[in-house]
Amino acid sequence: MPTMYNITLKQNADEAELNKAKETAKSKGGVIRHEYKLIKGFTVEFPNDTVHTLESNDHIHVEQDATAAAGLNGDAHPERPFPPTTPVDNERIAQLAAKPLHTLTLADLVRHGRPPLNTASLLSSANFSLSLIPIRLAHRIQALRNLPFIVVSNPHIAKIYNNYMHSLSTLLPYSNRSIQTLEEEIQFTEVMADLVQTHSNTIPTMARGLLESRRYIAPDIVTRFLDEHLRARIGTRLIAEQHIALHLSSQCHDTSKIFSAADPGATSHIGVIDTALRPADIVRQCESFVGEICELKYGVRPTVVINGEPETRIAHVPTHLEYILTELLKNAFRATVEQGQEREPIEVTIAADRPLTNVSPIAGQPLTQTKDEVTSDSARVQVDSSTPGVTIRIRDRGGGISPVAYPNIWAYSFTTFNDDEVPSSPSSPPAAVTMSSRNGNSDALNAISGSGGDTSSLAGLGYGLPLGRAYAEHFGGGIWVQSLWGWGTDVYLKVRGLRDVEEKH
């Protein structure tokens, strides 16, 4: 009877060897059932006793599929344990959504060890991700269903809803099971890659749908929903990306190996987390990026001066810090230039936390803001005062934030514009992008939906505070703003790291 085999290229083999293996498999009567995206390999169904011709090739590794092997032991119709999708019914969604959400921490993400991981640790990472993501997806589906029907009927919101249903359907085949073999882990990693890709444009699409539906839903409801949705998405995406990164950097899959097993300390990264991240380096990267955009639009660019403790290092997610600092520097650059103060440097001060630093950099304010507190998916991380952290202050001479706009800087407001000013497509920049956000004439929802997720334009300037705060607060940090109207603005960014990283794995 036919049997299934997993064919993967060995280390240093090229694409030509993969194509040669495919042709050899087909010439021997094999049928290719699946091709992997993350590694060079495929699954092929063979007639019995023909695979030995492939085993003789020094460039490929042949492994009998565990499920097919089970069929050889008496099961004439072996059930494939992980089919591509499983229909999602309301009862299953309700069961998952009723389960409590795990508050994700940086310690969770490094618990499996520094790559390359051995097989047991890699499988543990996969099963940890599997234990969290279906529940998180079900909670988001329920939240979308709780919106007014006419809002969910919007084609953009409906697309987001269908994307969540699709992603959950790809994970339900794993329900009540654990991932026990490398083959299953490879398949699961493919599912994680599909999830990340499926939801890559969620934010602008969601914002576009809510913008078009704004007459049917109150602004405060939109702000709470978006805040919760953004925070939930950050965690879900991070879980998936962390496992994918660990998969790609682990020795269990030779063709994907990035780091030498003999030198596991060659990198400071554990998946997507850099355990020796230097914020000053990220500031310089963001300065270069934002400065080029600013110079392209205005013909000038302010300089950035870094002082304080620029050598400070922290364990954190570089992409998160990069996003936050890019948005904050966009605000500072634009305000400084439009105020005619481009010769005044933007001052960035970096300071490592001192012991017992459990309050915000602004005296008298708690570390975690209580305004619009969101529970469930986006529960704020509670950290003790000994958790290491870094505070970054960005000071500009851009004239400050007007008293009219200041109370609304954290809101995803969308009541400024009338229907005639809504762009016809997400790629068309809305009227909001030409207005100065610091005068209170801006609209975060318009900017997000119009940008298409593109941070390489000035369209998003002035709209990054709510999004940046979501990233900062996800691991116990925060953003605080002090404005001196007519002079300038100080923005304080608190970033939390990990204590004793090496003890976490």
Side-chain angles (χ1 to χ4, degrees):
M1 63 174 291
T3 52
M4 299 285 290
Y5 292 89
N6 300 312
I7 314 297
T8 55
L9 290 191
K10 294 181 179 179
Q11 189 176 12
N12 299 326
D14 57 23
E15 196 75 22
E17 294 296 338
L18 177 64
N19 294 330
K20 181 179 179 181
K22 290 180 183 177
E23 293 303 318
T24 302
K26 292 177 182 178
S27 68
K28 299 300 180 180
V31 178
I32 296 176
R33 297 299 186 187
H34 178 71
E35 293 191 41
Y36 299 122
K37 300 176 183 176
L38 296 176
I39 64 174
K40 295 177 182 178
F42 56 92
T43 299
V44 60
E45 183 179 301
F46 266 108
N48 234 2
D49 301 326
T50 59
V51 75
H52 67 276
T53 56
L54 286 178
E55 290 178 327
S56 62
N57 191 324
D58 292 336
H59 298 287
I60 64 173
H61 173 71
V62 179
E63 179 183 29
Q64 186 171 352
D65 183 88
T67 305
L72 293 176
N73 292 328
D75 186 356
H77 302 282
E79 179 187 0
R80 187 76 179 167
F82 305 118
T85 62
T86 293
V88 182
D89 56 55
N90 292 334
E91 181 180 358
R92 185 62 177 143
I93 293 173
Q95 290 174 350
L96 289 170
K99 294 182 179 181
L101 284 157
H102 174 81
T103 301
L104 189 67
T105 66
L106 287 171
D108 287 329
L109 299 176
V110 302
R111 65 191 294 183
H112 306 291
R114 191 179 294 276
L117 303 186
N118 57 33
T119 300
S121 295
L122 192 61
L123 296 180
S124 176
S125 172
N127 284 305
F128 176 73
S129 302
L130 177 60
S131 70
L132 300 181
I133 294 182
I135 298 173
R136 300 176 72 91
L137 295 178
H139 275 260
R140 298 320 310 149
I141 292 172
Q142 286 285 56
L144 286 164
R145 288 179 173 182
N146 289 336
L147 293 173
F149 179 77
I150 194 170
V151 175
V152 185
S153 299
N154 177 277
H156 301 288
I157 305 298
K159 179 180 179 180
I160 298 300
Y161 176 83
N162 290 332
N163 284 346
Y164 275 97
M165 292 290 286
H166 164 75
S167 294
L168 184 57
S169 73
T170 63
L171 287 168
L172 285 185
Y174 298 78
S175 60
N176 302 320
R177 302 173 186 264
S178 61
I179 298 170
Q180 299 180 348
T181 67
L182 286 179
E183 160 62 12
E184 294 171 356
E185 187 275 331
I186 292 173
Q187 294 175 354
F188 177 76
T189 306
E190 292 281 340
V191 173
M192 292 293 94
D194 176 75
L195 183 147
V196 170
Q197 179 62 34
T198 297
H199 298 273
S200 62
N201 210 36
T202 289
I203 301 305
T205 303
M206 175 72 74
R208 175 68 189 181
L210 291 173
L211 177 63
E212 293 179 351
S213 307
R214 67 197 186 284
R215 70 180 66 182
Y216 308 115
I217 186 169
D220 60 328
I221 296 178
V222 170
T223 296
R224 286 197 300 270
F225 176 83
L226 264 180
D227 205 28
E228 182 174 353
H229 188 87
L230 289 171
R231 295 169 192 275
R233 179 182 180 275
I234 290 170
T236 302
R237 187 180 182 90
L238 193 56
I239 294 168
E241 289 180 337
Q242 177 70 352
H243 178 71
I244 293 171
L246 292 175
H247 170 99
L248 292 175
S249 58
S250 295
Q251 60 188 357
C252 302
H253 307 286
D254 288 343
T255 59
S256 301
K257 184 164 62 175
I258 297 176
F259 311 119
S260 169
D263 187 16
T267 176
S268 61
H269 279 77
I270 300 179
V272 298
I273 297 174
D274 187 349
T275 59
L277 179 64
R278 190 169 174 264
D281 293 338
I282 304 296
V283 171
R284 288 302 183 194
Q285 293 172 20
C286 297
E287 175 200 1
S288 176
F289 172 71
V290 175
E292 290 178 1
I293 303 171
C294 186
E295 190 166 6
L296 181 64
K297 180 173 178 62
Y298 296 107
V300 294
R301 60 193 293 177
T303 59
V304 172
V305 175
I306 300 178
N307 55 33
E309 301 171 320
E311 298 303 319
T312 298
R313 296 180 183 271
I314 191 173
H316 205 73
V317 184
T319 53
H320 287 193
L321 186 58
E322 182 179 350
Y323 174 82
I324 298 169
L325 289 172
T326 296
E327 293 303 317
L328 297 181
L329 287 176
K330 278 182 178 181
N331 293 347
F333 270 58
R334 178 180 181 179
T336 299
V337 172
E338 292 187 349
Q339 191 71 9
Q341 298 290 334
E342 61 272 8
R343 294 189 177 184
E344 293 289 337
I346 294 171
E347 183 180 337
V348 177
T349 304
I350 300 174
D353 282 0
R354 299 299 184 261
L356 302 179
T357 307
N358 58 354
V359 296
S360 79
I362 304 175
Q365 294 187 13
L367 174 63
T368 302
Q369 300 181 27
T370 57
K371 180 179 175 62
D372 295 328
E373 195 73 34
V374 182
T375 56
S376 68
D377 302 52
S378 57
R380 309 292 209 273
V381 178
Q382 298 298 316
V383 294
D384 65 58
S385 59
S386 61
T387 301
V390 172
T391 298
I392 303 172
R393 183 189 66 187
I394 300 177
R395 169 173 288 177
D396 67 61
R397 286 283 306 277
I401 304 172
S402 76
V404 175
Y406 192 81
N408 301 314
I409 60 176
W410 304 114
Y412 300 93
S413 171
F414 59 101
T415 57
T416 303
F417 300 96
N418 59 45
D419 291 345
D420 295 336
E421 293 173 302
V422 178
S424 58
S425 71
S427 61
S428 303
V433 302
T434 65
M435 301 179 180
S436 173
S437 65
R438 296 206 175 189
N439 291 327
N441 295 322
S442 63
D443 186 320
L445 209 58
N446 268 292
I448 299 168
S449 66
S451 69
D454 181 15
T455 60
S456 62
S457 71
L458 289 176
L461 293 185
Y463 311 113
L465 282 177
L467 296 173
R469 185 178 70 165
Y471 276 100
E473 290 185 346
H474 198 271
F475 291 120
I479 296 177
W480 298 266
V481 177
Q482 279 191 322
S483 171
L484 184 58
W485 178 233
W487 184 263
T489 303
D490 284 1
V491 179
Y492 295 83
L493 167 63
K494 163 89 65 185
V495 178
R496 289 289 188 180
L498 272 171
R499 182 175 66 251
D500 302 325
V501 174
E502 297 302 328
E503 295 180 3
K504 301 296 182 182
H505 48 83

